[in-house]
Amino acid sequence: GDFLRLGEVGREQLLRLEADVPLSCGVEQSEEVAAGARAEVAAAAAANERVVVLSHVPLFALATLTCTVLWNAEDVMERLHRSGRVVAVFAGHDHKGGYAVDSAGVHHVTLPSPLNCGSDGAAHANVHVYADRLHVEGCGLVPSREIGCQRW
């Protein structure tokens, strides 16, 4: 997964997300990826920044089909929760999509696949980043929503 550090949060930033990645089952986060994730989250914490995680594979079962969750998701989420810096996780992999908030208040957005919308449909979103929230401006199969960041 990739990490978007939300520095300079007084200025609107824009992130375009598309759920057009191929399906691949049985994925586990490698130690190399985990080490990079820990470094990014630690740097964000040191800079008092928030973190948005971008992952192909979902990390939270209530935001997807259980069979699509990263195999070692509990370990990954425990590390992310411990940091106290993660606002949201955006993922794909589950073609229906989903949304849930976990016990630490992290928002999990699983984007639906464009494969489900036919030739005339759409499945993407623009995410507007503000100091106190993320505004997901959905298009087609992706619903719009507000994700609060008030806990800091």
Side-chain angles (χ1 to χ4, degrees), residues 6-142:
L6 303 181
E8 302 178 31
V9 294
R11 171 176 68 103
E12 179 182 347
Q13 300 175 21
L14 186 65
L15 170 68
R16 181 172 173 81
L17 300 172
E18 293 196 28
D20 60 356
V21 289
L23 179 67
S24 61
C25 297
V27 177
E28 181 174 10
Q29 186 183 45
S30 70
E31 184 49 43
E32 181 181 345
V33 171
R38 285 191 297 272
E40 282 293 326
V41 172
N48 200 32
E49 295 175 340
R50 299 174 184 123
V51 175
V52 173
V53 177
L54 307 177
S55 175
H56 171 69
V57 181
L59 302 178
F60 188 51
L62 294 180
T64 187
L65 296 172
T66 304
C67 64
T68 66
V69 174
L70 189 74
W71 284 357
N72 60 339
E74 287 184 18
D75 295 336
V76 173
M77 287 310 304
E78 190 275 323
R79 289 192 300 266
L80 296 177
H81 287 160
R82 194 175 338 128
S83 77
R85 305 310 306 164
V86 177
V87 174
V89 175
F90 286 87
H93 196 64
D94 175 2
H95 288 203
K96 287 184 176 180
Y99 173 79
V101 180
D102 69 26
S103 63
V106 175
H107 296 258
H108 295 262
V109 179
T110 305
L111 299 167
S113 172
L115 297 173
N116 294 341
C117 59
S119 60
D120 295 330
H124 63 270
N126 291 311
V127 179
H128 302 269
V129 180
Y130 301 96
D132 62 342
R133 71 192 184 286
L134 303 175
H135 172 72
V136 179
E137 181 183 359
C139 181
L141 295 178
V142 179

